[in-house]
Amino acid sequence: MVYDLLVKNGKLIDESQIEIAIKDGVIVAVDKTLEGAAVVVLDLSGESYVSAGWIDGHVHCYEKMSLYYDFPDEIGISKGVTTVIDAGSTGPKNIGDFYQSAKSVKTNVLALINISEWGIVAQDELADLTKINHDLVHQALRQYPDFIVGLKARMSKTVVGNNGIIPLEMAKEIQKDNGDLPLMVHIGSAPPELSEILSRLDRCDIVTHCFNGKENGILASDDQIKTFVWDAYRKGVIFDIGHGTDSFNFHVAEVALAAEMIAATISTDIYHRNREDGPVHDLATTIEKLLEVGYQLPDLIDKVTAKPAEFFRLTKKGHVAKGFDGDLTIFNIAKQDKILTDSNGNQRVSHTRIIPQKAIVGGIVYDVK
Ligand code: ZN
Ligand code: ZN
């Protein structure tokens, strides 16, 4: 067999040597050394690391939106990310158009459908309950089963208006009627209170912006983790970073880690503005921040590969193994100082940089810009 791509002399994050062959978009062989002819040979010379392609589980990349938007390849392959999951930019009335435009990009694009019919056209998409149409969501799920991987409900004051917890209850009903598909819930300022939100979530529901620095967050005023937050965490609710412009705080993440409350997945909540102006920039920078908080690097790679693949049920992604999609991220690790800034302007100086080099999608190699 002539491989389409043969990656030579790579190393995994545990420093073990690895070579990978891809054919027709799929990983067909993985070993310490591989021989054989290939159309493209990518020799990493033992210097670069390779992992399964990075998955960013919370982005905004429907370019026709005016509030939160970006271009999938700007936050995807250009940043070493092979799969992006748009978190609720669109709802049942515009997700079809998003699907069409996403087909022509190089990055894998998937979506969580907003339960509000037009998604985030304005900040208050859940303030009018008539915009939540169970049947329309159901139809969209039937129409785009490979594109829509879950539901999104944004549960904070400016989004829900006077509706309190009701939109989340409606989201849970839609979830139950559609095979218990993944549900991501955004948290922020009250109402609704975080306690009301978390008490309604089940095991494997995803709470994004988990370490935000807001009053309605996980910490009480004495810096203790609120009891009901532990209840949700122990129940198996998935804590996702969802950094965003306003939603990642170093101190909250550090207190949580010290108490052994761990984020399960690392995501950016990136869109053009917080990419260009910060504080997000890209997924690699978000990984660097969690490294600075005290997470271990192998663990962090797991939280942008295997973990999001598991929680969003992407059965062919997240692992460097035979039969999985030919998506890989090539990156370097360098001892270099860098100032990192969270969403509240707090800074840390990190000494380790994670520098993506190439994104490989279905066996096709793209240089990181
Ligand atoms: Zn959000
Ligand atoms: Zn978001």
Side-chain angles (χ1 to χ4, degrees), residues 58 60 68 87 120 152 154-156 159 185-187 208-209 242 247 269:
H58 183 165
H60 294 280
Y68 303 117
I120 314 173
K152 177 79 185 285
R154 298 201 308 147
M155 295 301 298
S156 58
V159 182
V185 176
H186 140 130
I187 59 170
T208 190
H209 311 314
S247 301
D269 190 16

Side-chain angles (χ1 to χ4, degrees), residues 70-131:
D70 212 327
F71 304 90
D73 289 338
E74 289 295 319
I75 58 178
I77 53 162
S78 303
K79 305 290 192 183
V81 175
T82 58
T83 300
V84 294
I85 301 176
D86 181 278
S89 301
T90 57
K93 288 195 169 165
N94 48 1
I95 202 161
D97 188 68
F98 179 30
Y99 169 73
Q100 293 303 332
S101 65
K103 275 206 282 197
S104 59
V105 305
K106 300 176 175 98
T107 308
N108 299 308
V109 181
L110 300 168
L112 304 177
I113 187 170
N114 199 307
I115 59 166
S116 181
E117 57 190 7
W118 293 100
I120 314 173
V121 282
Q123 196 57 264
D124 60 348
E125 79 263 17
L126 297 176
D128 174 0
L129 295 178
T130 65
K131 289 183 182 166

Side-chain angles (χ1 to χ4, degrees), residues 5-11 17-20 40-50 330 332 357-358 360 365:
L5 174 67
L6 182 57
V7 179
K8 297 284 289 178
N9 297 306
K11 53 184 176 178
Q17 187 183 316
I18 188 165
E19 301 196 337
I20 303 154
V40 177
V41 176
L42 179 64
D43 192 336
L44 303 181
S45 312
E47 282 163 19
S48 294
Y49 292 86
V50 57
I330 311 293
N332 291 351
Q357 301 290 315
K358 293 177 193 302
I360 299 173
V365 183

Side-chain angles (χ1 to χ4, degrees), residues 55-60 84-90 110-116 120 125-126 141 148-156 159-160 167-172 174-175 180-188 197-198 200-210 237-244 247 264-270 303 307-309 311-313:
I55 301 166
D56 190 339
H58 183 165
V59 308
H60 294 280
V84 294
I85 301 176
D86 181 278
S89 301
T90 57
L110 300 168
L112 304 177
I113 187 170
N114 199 307
I115 59 166
S116 181
I120 314 173
E125 79 263 17
L126 297 176
L141 290 167
I148 306 175
V149 296
L151 302 171
K152 177 79 185 285
R154 298 201 308 147
M155 295 301 298
S156 58
V159 182
V160 302
L168 179 57
E169 288 173 337
M170 295 172 81
K172 290 295 293 179
I174 296 172
Q175 179 192 34
D180 270 330
L181 78 175
L183 167 66
M184 178 185 277
V185 176
H186 140 130
I187 59 170
I197 296 170
L198 293 184
R200 282 165 176 81
L201 298 186
D202 295 301
R203 191 178 163 274
C204 289
D205 287 343
I206 299 159
V207 60
T208 190
H209 311 314
C210 65
V237 171
I238 293 156
F239 283 41
D240 172 59
I241 292 294
H243 186 312
S247 301
T265 48
I266 311 297
S267 68
T268 57
D269 190 16
I270 198 169
K303 292 174 192 301
K307 286 294 186 296
F311 300 137
F312 292 110
R313 304 177 193 169

Side-chain angles (χ1 to χ4, degrees), residues 147-333:
F147 181 58
I148 306 175
V149 296
L151 302 171
K152 177 79 185 285
R154 298 201 308 147
M155 295 301 298
S156 58
K157 187 167 108 184
T158 47
V159 182
V160 302
N162 297 320
N163 289 326
I165 202 70
I166 299 169
L168 179 57
E169 288 173 337
M170 295 172 81
K172 290 295 293 179
E173 271 174 40
I174 296 172
Q175 179 192 34
K176 296 259 175 308
D177 288 347
N178 290 281
D180 270 330
L181 78 175
L183 167 66
M184 178 185 277
V185 176
H186 140 130
I187 59 170
S189 296
E193 295 291 334
L194 186 58
S195 56
E196 296 178 272
I197 296 170
L198 293 184
S199 69
R200 282 165 176 81
L201 298 186
D202 295 301
R203 191 178 163 274
C204 289
D205 287 343
I206 299 159
V207 60
T208 190
H209 311 314
C210 65
F211 297 150
N212 72 67
K214 296 170 187 175
E215 205 176 307
N216 194 34
I218 66 167
L219 297 186
S221 52
D222 61 358
D223 255 6
Q224 295 297 307
I225 293 171
K226 297 168 183 171
T227 310
F228 63 79
V229 176
W230 275 121
D231 293 343
Y233 184 80
R234 290 187 178 124
K235 186 161 62 178
V237 171
I238 293 156
F239 283 41
D240 172 59
I241 292 294
H243 186 312
T245 307
D246 290 321
S247 301
F248 177 73
N249 180 285
F250 276 124
H251 177 72
V252 175
E254 286 159 354
V255 170
L257 179 64
E260 293 182 41
M261 179 175 280
I262 316 285
T265 48
I266 311 297
S267 68
T268 57
D269 190 16
I270 198 169
Y271 74 115
H272 73 290
R273 215 165 274 139
N274 66 28
R275 166 170 62 82
E276 288 164 356
D277 306 337
V280 174
H281 301 297
D282 54 24
L283 183 60
T285 304
T286 306
I287 297 170
E288 287 169 346
K289 289 178 188 179
L290 275 301
L291 187 63
E292 187 52 30
V293 162
Y295 285 65
Q296 301 299 308
L297 201 42
D299 223 21
L300 288 169
I301 297 303
D302 198 51
K303 292 174 192 301
V304 295
T305 55
K307 286 294 186 296
E310 177 190 342
F311 300 137
F312 292 110
R313 304 177 193 169
L314 313 178
T315 54
K316 296 287 182 193
K317 297 198 185 296
H319 297 274
V320 183
K322 195 175 166 182
F324 280 77
D325 288 348
D327 298 350
L328 304 170
T329 296
I330 311 293
F331 58 102
N332 291 351
I333 299 173

